[in-house]
Amino acid sequence: MGTVTTSDDVTIHYEEQGTGPPLVLIHGWGFSGRFFTRNLDALAEHARVITVDLRGHGDSGKPRHGYRVSRLAKDLFDVLEELDLRDVTVLGWSLGCPVIWSYLELFGSHRLARAVYVEQAPRQYYAPDWPHAHATCYDEPSLAALQTQLTCDPPAFDEDQIDTVFAGEPTPQERELLLAEMAKSPPYARNALMADHTRHDWRDLLPTVRLPSLVLVARQDQVFPWQGPAWVGEALPGARTVFFEHSGHGLFFDEPEKFHRTVTGFLTDNETDTEALV
């Protein structure tokens, strides 16, 4: 494990294992790199796997500033530069996807070779031309309600999040670990970041992306209707899309073996799970 200091003096925590081509994993909102606990050993057999805790999350710094997707993209840039990573496959889950999209918009494909997008729609709010909104944060009033719930009772909010993002049940030890990781992220950080993240619309950017892309979509997600993340695969030129029929929002946790097979196949340019491709 180690740390990188960003251009605005915030400490970003990362952990790594394995050797080979670099694979950087970016977690979702309110979580940490340890949410990939079921995946690291298997992925590390094929790659140098690096998990990053976003600012305000996990063991990274908790400043009172910088909770914008664009700043998180710059944090990612700072990590790749400091570690001198090249030909990186970057994997984003949920919020991690907009972090990658913002990185591409700001820095192009600098240091990147491939990208994997796990369960994120290009837009979270309802619109006349966008029916595939987030289940609970779909407009300004619902954002305010979410922020109030988190501020008033973080432990209850986190328990509900665990029950929502996974289709299967974590073991008691896993649940304890994941809740402890969520408790490290203060409400002020999460609320500020969600206020920025949830208002973005990435639909105009995606057709311009030329980075080889893999899109993973969960059919049983309670956070997004599956059509939203699937739209990402349709919009990205040449992207491969793989459906996980028995997974919730954390599909890497619910169907880890299929996740490992699909991601490592993409890393080596082999065919992924062809029966699920569209």
mmCIF file of all heavy atoms in Angstrom, residues 21-51:
data_model
loop_
_atom_site.group_PDB
_atom_site.id
_atom_site.type_symbol
_atom_site.label_atom_id
_atom_site.label_comp_id
_atom_site.label_asym_id
_atom_site.label_seq_id
_atom_site.Cartn_x
_atom_site.Cartn_y
_atom_site.Cartn_z
ATOM 1 N N PRO A 21 0.458 -6.178 -16.625
ATOM 2 C CA PRO A 21 -0.096 -4.894 -17.077
ATOM 3 C C PRO A 21 -0.922 -4.248 -15.973
ATOM 4 O O PRO A 21 -1.658 -4.928 -15.250
ATOM 5 C CB PRO A 21 -0.965 -5.281 -18.274
ATOM 6 C CG PRO A 21 -1.290 -6.726 -18.064
ATOM 7 C CD PRO A 21 -0.087 -7.317 -17.392
ATOM 8 N N PRO A 22 -0.821 -2.925 -15.793
ATOM 9 C CA PRO A 22 -1.538 -2.276 -14.687
ATOM 10 C C PRO A 22 -3.050 -2.239 -14.914
ATOM 11 O O PRO A 22 -3.523 -1.899 -16.001
ATOM 12 C CB PRO A 22 -0.943 -0.871 -14.656
ATOM 13 C CG PRO A 22 -0.386 -0.651 -16.019
ATOM 14 C CD PRO A 22 0.043 -1.992 -16.527
ATOM 15 N N LEU A 23 -3.771 -2.575 -13.870
ATOM 16 C CA LEU A 23 -5.231 -2.532 -13.837
ATOM 17 C C LEU A 23 -5.625 -1.709 -12.622
ATOM 18 O O LEU A 23 -5.401 -2.132 -11.482
ATOM 19 C CB LEU A 23 -5.814 -3.945 -13.748
ATOM 20 C CG LEU A 23 -7.320 -4.076 -13.496
ATOM 21 C CD1 LEU A 23 -8.124 -3.461 -14.647
ATOM 22 C CD2 LEU A 23 -7.705 -5.543 -13.292
ATOM 23 N N VAL A 24 -6.191 -0.519 -12.841
ATOM 24 C CA VAL A 24 -6.555 0.394 -11.756
ATOM 25 C C VAL A 24 -8.066 0.313 -11.533
ATOM 26 O O VAL A 24 -8.855 0.542 -12.463
ATOM 27 C CB VAL A 24 -6.131 1.832 -12.081
ATOM 28 C CG1 VAL A 24 -6.611 2.799 -10.999
ATOM 29 C CG2 VAL A 24 -4.611 1.913 -12.234
ATOM 30 N N LEU A 25 -8.478 -0.015 -10.307
ATOM 31 C CA LEU A 25 -9.882 -0.174 -9.950
ATOM 32 C C LEU A 25 -10.361 1.058 -9.184
ATOM 33 O O LEU A 25 -9.743 1.449 -8.187
ATOM 34 C CB LEU A 25 -10.081 -1.421 -9.084
ATOM 35 C CG LEU A 25 -9.491 -2.738 -9.597
ATOM 36 C CD1 LEU A 25 -9.841 -3.871 -8.649
ATOM 37 C CD2 LEU A 25 -9.978 -3.047 -11.010
ATOM 38 N N ILE A 26 -11.479 1.633 -9.638
ATOM 39 C CA ILE A 26 -12.037 2.844 -9.021
ATOM 40 C C ILE A 26 -13.437 2.520 -8.510
ATOM 41 O O ILE A 26 -14.330 2.172 -9.290
ATOM 42 C CB ILE A 26 -12.093 3.998 -10.035
ATOM 43 C CG1 ILE A 26 -10.717 4.221 -10.666
ATOM 44 C CG2 ILE A 26 -12.571 5.278 -9.355
ATOM 45 C CD1 ILE A 26 -10.740 5.213 -11.808
ATOM 46 N N HIS A 27 -13.619 2.656 -7.224
ATOM 47 C CA HIS A 27 -14.861 2.267 -6.562
ATOM 48 C C HIS A 27 -15.974 3.286 -6.770
ATOM 49 O O HIS A 27 -15.776 4.355 -7.362
ATOM 50 C CB HIS A 27 -14.604 2.075 -5.066
ATOM 51 C CG HIS A 27 -14.133 3.321 -4.381
ATOM 52 N ND1 HIS A 27 -14.988 4.314 -3.972
ATOM 53 C CD2 HIS A 27 -12.883 3.737 -4.035
ATOM 54 C CE1 HIS A 27 -14.304 5.286 -3.396
ATOM 55 N NE2 HIS A 27 -13.016 4.968 -3.422
ATOM 56 N N GLY A 28 -17.144 2.973 -6.234
ATOM 57 C CA GLY A 28 -18.304 3.838 -6.339
ATOM 58 C C GLY A 28 -18.458 4.785 -5.159
ATOM 59 O O GLY A 28 -17.665 4.781 -4.201
ATOM 60 N N TRP A 29 -19.516 5.574 -5.214
ATOM 61 C CA TRP A 29 -19.801 6.633 -4.240
ATOM 62 C C TRP A 29 -20.037 6.040 -2.850
ATOM 63 O O TRP A 29 -20.865 5.142 -2.667
ATOM 64 C CB TRP A 29 -21.031 7.397 -4.700
ATOM 65 C CG TRP A 29 -21.515 8.451 -3.759
ATOM 66 C CD1 TRP A 29 -20.985 9.696 -3.559
ATOM 67 C CD2 TRP A 29 -22.663 8.378 -2.900
ATOM 68 N NE1 TRP A 29 -21.716 10.397 -2.632
ATOM 69 C CE2 TRP A 29 -22.757 9.611 -2.212
ATOM 70 C CE3 TRP A 29 -23.616 7.389 -2.646
ATOM 71 C CZ2 TRP A 29 -23.767 9.876 -1.292
ATOM 72 C CZ3 TRP A 29 -24.620 7.646 -1.727
ATOM 73 C CH2 TRP A 29 -24.691 8.882 -1.064
ATOM 74 N N GLY A 30 -19.298 6.554 -1.869
ATOM 75 C CA GLY A 30 -19.470 6.122 -0.480
ATOM 76 C C GLY A 30 -18.713 4.862 -0.115
ATOM 77 O O GLY A 30 -18.759 4.443 1.046
ATOM 78 N N PHE A 31 -17.986 4.277 -1.059
ATOM 79 C CA PHE A 31 -17.357 2.981 -0.818
ATOM 80 C C PHE A 31 -15.833 3.145 -0.705
ATOM 81 O O PHE A 31 -15.348 4.178 -0.282
ATOM 82 C CB PHE A 31 -17.766 1.993 -1.907
ATOM 83 C CG PHE A 31 -19.255 1.882 -2.073
ATOM 84 C CD1 PHE A 31 -19.852 1.917 -3.333
ATOM 85 C CD2 PHE A 31 -20.088 1.763 -0.969
ATOM 86 C CE1 PHE A 31 -21.228 1.819 -3.482
ATOM 87 C CE2 PHE A 31 -21.472 1.661 -1.098
ATOM 88 C CZ PHE A 31 -22.045 1.690 -2.363
ATOM 89 N N SER A 32 -15.066 2.123 -1.069
ATOM 90 C CA SER A 32 -13.605 2.199 -1.054
ATOM 91 C C SER A 32 -13.055 1.070 -1.906
ATOM 92 O O SER A 32 -13.796 0.199 -2.378
ATOM 93 C CB SER A 32 -13.062 2.091 0.377
ATOM 94 O OG SER A 32 -13.044 0.741 0.807
ATOM 95 N N GLY A 33 -11.738 1.055 -2.056
ATOM 96 C CA GLY A 33 -11.113 -0.004 -2.836
ATOM 97 C C GLY A 33 -11.318 -1.380 -2.246
ATOM 98 O O GLY A 33 -11.234 -2.386 -2.958
ATOM 99 N N ARG A 34 -11.618 -1.467 -0.953
ATOM 100 C CA ARG A 34 -11.808 -2.772 -0.330
ATOM 101 C C ARG A 34 -13.131 -3.432 -0.708
ATOM 102 O O ARG A 34 -13.358 -4.600 -0.342
ATOM 103 C CB ARG A 34 -11.674 -2.644 1.187
ATOM 104 C CG ARG A 34 -10.248 -2.318 1.607
ATOM 105 C CD ARG A 34 -10.035 -2.398 3.088
ATOM 106 N NE ARG A 34 -8.625 -2.191 3.426
ATOM 107 C CZ ARG A 34 -8.136 -2.239 4.663
ATOM 108 N NH1 ARG A 34 -8.953 -2.473 5.687
ATOM 109 N NH2 ARG A 34 -6.857 -2.039 4.867
ATOM 110 N N PHE A 35 -13.977 -2.725 -1.424
ATOM 111 C CA PHE A 35 -15.190 -3.376 -1.932
ATOM 112 C C PHE A 35 -14.869 -4.410 -3.008
ATOM 113 O O PHE A 35 -15.713 -5.242 -3.343
ATOM 114 C CB PHE A 35 -16.177 -2.333 -2.454
ATOM 115 C CG PHE A 35 -17.125 -1.839 -1.400
ATOM 116 C CD1 PHE A 35 -16.665 -1.110 -0.317
ATOM 117 C CD2 PHE A 35 -18.483 -2.122 -1.467
ATOM 118 C CE1 PHE A 35 -17.528 -0.665 0.665
ATOM 119 C CE2 PHE A 35 -19.360 -1.690 -0.489
ATOM 120 C CZ PHE A 35 -18.884 -0.958 0.592
ATOM 121 N N PHE A 36 -13.651 -4.389 -3.524
ATOM 122 C CA PHE A 36 -13.226 -5.394 -4.499
ATOM 123 C C PHE A 36 -12.555 -6.588 -3.819
ATOM 124 O O PHE A 36 -11.778 -7.308 -4.452
ATOM 125 C CB PHE A 36 -12.268 -4.759 -5.506
ATOM 126 C CG PHE A 36 -12.886 -3.677 -6.354
ATOM 127 C CD1 PHE A 36 -12.589 -2.338 -6.113
ATOM 128 C CD2 PHE A 36 -13.755 -3.990 -7.380
ATOM 129 C CE1 PHE A 36 -13.151 -1.334 -6.892
ATOM 130 C CE2 PHE A 36 -14.326 -2.997 -8.167
ATOM 131 C CZ PHE A 36 -14.026 -1.667 -7.926
ATOM 132 N N THR A 37 -12.865 -6.817 -2.557
ATOM 133 C CA THR A 37 -12.172 -7.836 -1.774
ATOM 134 C C THR A 37 -12.317 -9.241 -2.363
ATOM 135 O O THR A 37 -11.422 -10.079 -2.210
ATOM 136 C CB THR A 37 -12.676 -7.804 -0.313
ATOM 137 O OG1 THR A 37 -11.936 -8.738 0.446
ATOM 138 C CG2 THR A 37 -14.159 -8.149 -0.221
ATOM 139 N N ARG A 38 -13.437 -9.530 -3.043
ATOM 140 C CA ARG A 38 -13.626 -10.853 -3.631
ATOM 141 C C ARG A 38 -12.866 -11.033 -4.951
ATOM 142 O O ARG A 38 -12.848 -12.142 -5.490
ATOM 143 C CB ARG A 38 -15.118 -11.114 -3.889
ATOM 144 C CG ARG A 38 -15.941 -11.365 -2.645
ATOM 145 C CD ARG A 38 -17.358 -11.787 -2.997
ATOM 146 N NE ARG A 38 -18.131 -12.113 -1.807
ATOM 147 C CZ ARG A 38 -19.395 -12.565 -1.822
ATOM 148 N NH1 ARG A 38 -20.020 -12.721 -2.990
ATOM 149 N NH2 ARG A 38 -20.015 -12.843 -0.694
ATOM 150 N N ASN A 39 -12.254 -9.992 -5.440
ATOM 151 C CA ASN A 39 -11.718 -10.013 -6.799
ATOM 152 C C ASN A 39 -10.201 -9.905 -6.893
ATOM 153 O O ASN A 39 -9.627 -10.272 -7.924
ATOM 154 C CB ASN A 39 -12.322 -8.847 -7.598
ATOM 155 C CG ASN A 39 -13.817 -8.722 -7.408
ATOM 156 O OD1 ASN A 39 -14.299 -7.750 -6.828
ATOM 157 N ND2 ASN A 39 -14.547 -9.719 -7.867
ATOM 158 N N LEU A 40 -9.552 -9.376 -5.873
ATOM 159 C CA LEU A 40 -8.153 -8.980 -6.017
ATOM 160 C C LEU A 40 -7.232 -10.156 -6.297
ATOM 161 O O LEU A 40 -6.359 -10.078 -7.168
ATOM 162 C CB LEU A 40 -7.692 -8.221 -4.774
ATOM 163 C CG LEU A 40 -8.426 -6.910 -4.503
ATOM 164 C CD1 LEU A 40 -7.892 -6.258 -3.235
ATOM 165 C CD2 LEU A 40 -8.294 -5.967 -5.684
ATOM 166 N N ASP A 41 -7.384 -11.261 -5.574
ATOM 167 C CA ASP A 41 -6.470 -12.390 -5.759
ATOM 168 C C ASP A 41 -6.573 -12.945 -7.174
ATOM 169 O O ASP A 41 -5.547 -13.236 -7.810
ATOM 170 C CB ASP A 41 -6.765 -13.493 -4.739
ATOM 171 C CG ASP A 41 -6.359 -13.112 -3.320
ATOM 172 O OD1 ASP A 41 -5.586 -12.142 -3.164
ATOM 173 O OD2 ASP A 41 -6.823 -13.774 -2.379
ATOM 174 N N ALA A 42 -7.787 -13.098 -7.683
ATOM 175 C CA ALA A 42 -7.958 -13.659 -9.021
ATOM 176 C C ALA A 42 -7.427 -12.727 -10.091
ATOM 177 O O ALA A 42 -6.756 -13.151 -11.042
ATOM 178 C CB ALA A 42 -9.436 -13.970 -9.272
ATOM 179 N N LEU A 43 -7.712 -11.441 -9.963
ATOM 180 C CA LEU A 43 -7.230 -10.487 -10.966
ATOM 181 C C LEU A 43 -5.715 -10.349 -10.911
ATOM 182 O O LEU A 43 -5.058 -10.161 -11.944
ATOM 183 C CB LEU A 43 -7.888 -9.124 -10.746
ATOM 184 C CG LEU A 43 -9.396 -9.041 -10.992
ATOM 185 C CD1 LEU A 43 -9.911 -7.654 -10.639
ATOM 186 C CD2 LEU A 43 -9.744 -9.397 -12.441
ATOM 187 N N ALA A 44 -5.137 -10.461 -9.710
ATOM 188 C CA ALA A 44 -3.698 -10.293 -9.556
ATOM 189 C C ALA A 44 -2.901 -11.432 -10.175
ATOM 190 O O ALA A 44 -1.676 -11.323 -10.318
ATOM 191 C CB ALA A 44 -3.338 -10.143 -8.081
ATOM 192 N N GLU A 45 -3.560 -12.512 -10.561
ATOM 193 C CA GLU A 45 -2.872 -13.568 -11.291
ATOM 194 C C GLU A 45 -2.574 -13.156 -12.727
ATOM 195 O O GLU A 45 -1.768 -13.803 -13.405
ATOM 196 C CB GLU A 45 -3.715 -14.841 -11.285
ATOM 197 C CG GLU A 45 -3.897 -15.459 -9.902
ATOM 198 C CD GLU A 45 -4.769 -16.700 -9.944
ATOM 199 O OE1 GLU A 45 -5.150 -17.122 -11.070
ATOM 200 O OE2 GLU A 45 -5.065 -17.254 -8.876
ATOM 201 N N HIS A 46 -3.220 -12.068 -13.185
ATOM 202 C CA HIS A 46 -3.089 -11.650 -14.584
ATOM 203 C C HIS A 46 -2.594 -10.223 -14.737
ATOM 204 O O HIS A 46 -2.279 -9.811 -15.862
ATOM 205 C CB HIS A 46 -4.446 -11.766 -15.286
ATOM 206 C CG HIS A 46 -5.033 -13.139 -15.219
ATOM 207 N ND1 HIS A 46 -4.768 -14.097 -16.173
ATOM 208 C CD2 HIS A 46 -5.868 -13.711 -14.312
ATOM 209 C CE1 HIS A 46 -5.424 -15.206 -15.861
ATOM 210 N NE2 HIS A 46 -6.091 -15.003 -14.740
ATOM 211 N N ALA A 47 -2.540 -9.451 -13.651
ATOM 212 C CA ALA A 47 -2.254 -8.021 -13.783
ATOM 213 C C ALA A 47 -1.675 -7.477 -12.486
ATOM 214 O O ALA A 47 -1.778 -8.104 -11.422
ATOM 215 C CB ALA A 47 -3.534 -7.256 -14.140
ATOM 216 N N ARG A 48 -1.084 -6.309 -12.592
ATOM 217 C CA ARG A 48 -0.712 -5.514 -11.428
ATOM 218 C C ARG A 48 -1.940 -4.714 -11.041
ATOM 219 O O ARG A 48 -2.286 -3.728 -11.681
ATOM 220 C CB ARG A 48 0.460 -4.590 -11.757
ATOM 221 C CG ARG A 48 0.877 -3.664 -10.626
ATOM 222 C CD ARG A 48 1.932 -2.676 -11.106
ATOM 223 N NE ARG A 48 2.273 -1.699 -10.080
ATOM 224 C CZ ARG A 48 3.066 -0.647 -10.287
ATOM 225 N NH1 ARG A 48 3.582 -0.436 -11.494
ATOM 226 N NH2 ARG A 48 3.322 0.203 -9.291
ATOM 227 N N VAL A 49 -2.637 -5.147 -10.014
ATOM 228 C CA VAL A 49 -3.936 -4.584 -9.651
ATOM 229 C C VAL A 49 -3.746 -3.501 -8.599
ATOM 230 O O VAL A 49 -3.157 -3.743 -7.534
ATOM 231 C CB VAL A 49 -4.882 -5.672 -9.123
ATOM 232 C CG1 VAL A 49 -6.252 -5.083 -8.805
ATOM 233 C CG2 VAL A 49 -5.014 -6.801 -10.140
ATOM 234 N N ILE A 50 -4.261 -2.327 -8.895
ATOM 235 C CA ILE A 50 -4.132 -1.172 -8.003
ATOM 236 C C ILE A 50 -5.526 -0.667 -7.671
ATOM 237 O O ILE A 50 -6.295 -0.309 -8.569
ATOM 238 C CB ILE A 50 -3.302 -0.063 -8.663
ATOM 239 C CG1 ILE A 50 -1.894 -0.570 -8.979
ATOM 240 C CG2 ILE A 50 -3.240 1.178 -7.765
ATOM 241 C CD1 ILE A 50 -1.103 0.336 -9.879
ATOM 242 N N THR A 51 -5.878 -0.675 -6.399
ATOM 243 C CA THR A 51 -7.143 -0.093 -5.949
ATOM 244 C C THR A 51 -6.862 1.281 -5.356
ATOM 245 O O THR A 51 -5.921 1.453 -4.583
ATOM 246 C CB THR A 51 -7.839 -0.976 -4.905
ATOM 247 O OG1 THR A 51 -6.970 -1.175 -3.788
ATOM 248 C CG2 THR A 51 -8.221 -2.327 -5.504
#
